[in-house]
């Protein structure tokens, strides 16, 4: 992977970890918070996206429109699936399954659909990233996945991971094959999600207003950082980085988030989580060697 692309992925990982730490503080606001930060993203990135569109940067045609529509719908389904999984099962099961299967399936999709070459370094790095994710998220207690209560979590986690892989492959195709500028693709998909979420929030506007009381600063920060992190990832793909490397490498955000949680939120430090960070770092380095 070119050094410039690798740098974009690393910056994106830090950005992703930062906005997830902020979003965690508003987790109980539910769909109202998702709608709020989506609104901020649509407004904040509109000048950049519309300027590019006005300059003819958005190629017109049904393939482009279909890609944007698919991206927006899949991202929305991903948000719902993840939230539903958290309602039915433990985060400690859903999250690692989703974040582990996501890059794994994205890489497989890159090999089968985008024609990328599966090499020894890529496969070894991918496996190390998935193992590192599992160690960090479960604190080394893999028996969590074997309990009867975890079945819902595994199912919803796999569904969420499949949607992560699906939108990653679709967006990579949009940036690489259709030459859609990353900020335009992300902004158009965000706008579609805003339009689809608006009627739901308006019908329950009193509950949404109450849920967002005191949380707008968090929504503004997440609305600015969340698209930026993904735009950087799409930018790395646009520079020619293989999806089979970018998809697992961007999951460094989980390692960064775990380390920040230990340092800033005083979360428990364990040998398993530190080992997971080390395994994930080795995996990312293996991906970078290819």
């Amino acid at each position: 992977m070119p050094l410039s692309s690798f740098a974009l992925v690393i910056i994106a990982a830090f950005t992703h970890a930062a906005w997830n730490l902020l979003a965690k503080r508003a987790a109980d606001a539910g769909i109202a918070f998702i709608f709020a930060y989506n609104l901020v993203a649509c407004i904040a990135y509109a000048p950049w996206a519309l300027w590019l569109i006005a300059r003819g940067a958005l190629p017109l045609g049904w393939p482009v429109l279909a890609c944007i529509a698919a991206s927006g719908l899949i991202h929305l389904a991903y948000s719902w699936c993840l939230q539903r999984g958290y309602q039915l099962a433990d985060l400690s099961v859903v999250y690692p399954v989703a974040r582990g299967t996501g890059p794994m399936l994205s890489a497989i999709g890159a090999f089968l659909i985008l024609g990328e070459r599966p090499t020894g370094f890529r496969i070894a790095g991918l496996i190390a990233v998935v193992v590192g994710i599992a160690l960090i998220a479960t604190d080394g207690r893999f028996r969590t996945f074997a309990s009867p209560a975890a079945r819902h979590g595994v199912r919803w986690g796999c569904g969420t991971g499949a949607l992560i892989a699906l939108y990653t492959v679709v967006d990579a195709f949009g940036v690489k094959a259709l030459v859609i500028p990353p900020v335009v693709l992300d902004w158009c998909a965000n706008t579609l999600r805003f339009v689809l979420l608006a009627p739901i929030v308006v019908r329950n506007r009193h509950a949404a207003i109450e849920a967002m009381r005191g949380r707008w600063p968090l929504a503004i920060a997440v609305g600015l950082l969340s698209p930026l992190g993904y735009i950087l990832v799409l930018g790395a793909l646009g520079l020619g980085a293989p999806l089979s490397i970018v998809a697992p490498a961007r999951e460094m955000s989980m390692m960064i988030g775990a380390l920040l949680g230990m340092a800033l939120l005083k979360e428990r430090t364990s040998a398993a989580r530190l080992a997971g960070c080390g395994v994930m770092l080795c995996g990312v380095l293996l991906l970078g060697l290819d």
Side-chain angles (χ1 to χ4, degrees):
M1 179 169 19
L3 183 59
S4 57
S5 297
F6 195 72
L8 288 179
V9 173
I10 299 302
I11 297 171
F14 276 95
T15 305
H16 189 274
W19 78 255
N20 271 273
L21 283 174
L22 294 171
K24 183 179 179 181
R25 296 173 59 187
D28 58 341
I31 197 169
F33 187 74
I34 296 173
F35 176 80
Y37 75 69
N38 195 261
L39 170 63
V40 171
C42 289
I43 295 172
Y45 287 87
W48 187 5
L50 292 175
W51 178 76
L52 288 172
I53 293 172
R55 290 173 58 88
L58 179 62
L60 298 177
W62 286 111
V64 170
L65 295 177
C67 179
I68 291 172
S71 178
L73 291 172
I74 296 167
H75 274 89
L76 185 59
Y78 153 76
S79 299
W80 176 83
C81 188
L82 184 64
Q83 186 176 13
R84 184 61 175 162
Y86 288 159
Q87 290 173 347
L88 297 175
D90 291 339
L91 180 145
S92 60
V93 176
V94 177
Y95 192 69
V97 171
R99 302 317 299 186
T101 56
M104 178 181 66
L105 294 174
S106 296
I108 293 172
F111 297 147
L112 298 178
I113 299 173
L114 301 181
E116 295 183 4
R117 185 168 53 93
T119 66
F121 280 135
R122 291 187 188 182
I123 293 172
L126 174 62
I127 292 172
V129 168
V130 172
V131 171
I133 288 171
L135 282 170
I136 293 169
T138 65
D139 200 11
R141 295 189 293 269
F142 292 109
R143 62 182 179 276
T144 303
F145 296 111
S147 66
R151 292 174 184 170
H152 276 307
V154 171
R155 283 198 291 267
W156 284 97
C158 286
T160 302
L163 289 168
I164 291 172
L166 192 56
Y167 76 62
T168 302
V169 173
V170 167
D171 292 349
F173 179 79
V175 170
K176 285 175 169 285
L178 301 179
V179 200
I180 305 173
V183 66
V184 173
L185 175 58
D186 186 72
W187 181 78
C188 289
N190 269 335
T191 302
L192 176 60
R193 289 197 294 275
F194 170 78
V195 171
L196 294 174
L197 285 173
I200 300 173
V201 175
V202 169
R203 280 199 304 269
N204 303 281
R205 57 186 177 276
H206 296 300
I209 292 171
E210 184 61 30
M212 285 304 299
R213 195 177 302 279
R215 294 189 171 95
W216 275 103
L218 292 173
I220 292 171
V222 173
L224 294 175
L225 292 174
S226 176
L228 178 61
Y230 196 55
I231 288 168
L232 290 172
V233 169
L234 295 179
L237 292 169
L239 291 175
L243 175 61
S244 55
I245 295 179
V246 171
R250 71 184 291 244
E251 298 304 336
M252 276 191 70
S253 61
M254 190 169 184
M255 178 188 74
I256 295 166
L259 294 174
L260 289 176
M262 296 173 195
L264 301 180
L265 303 180
K266 306 304 180 184
E267 293 181 352
R268 189 170 65 89
T269 303
S270 69
R273 283 184 172 168
L274 291 175
C277 291
V279 171
M280 179 177 280
L281 182 58
C282 289
V284 172
L285 291 175
L286 283 172
L287 291 169
L289 287 175
D290 189 58

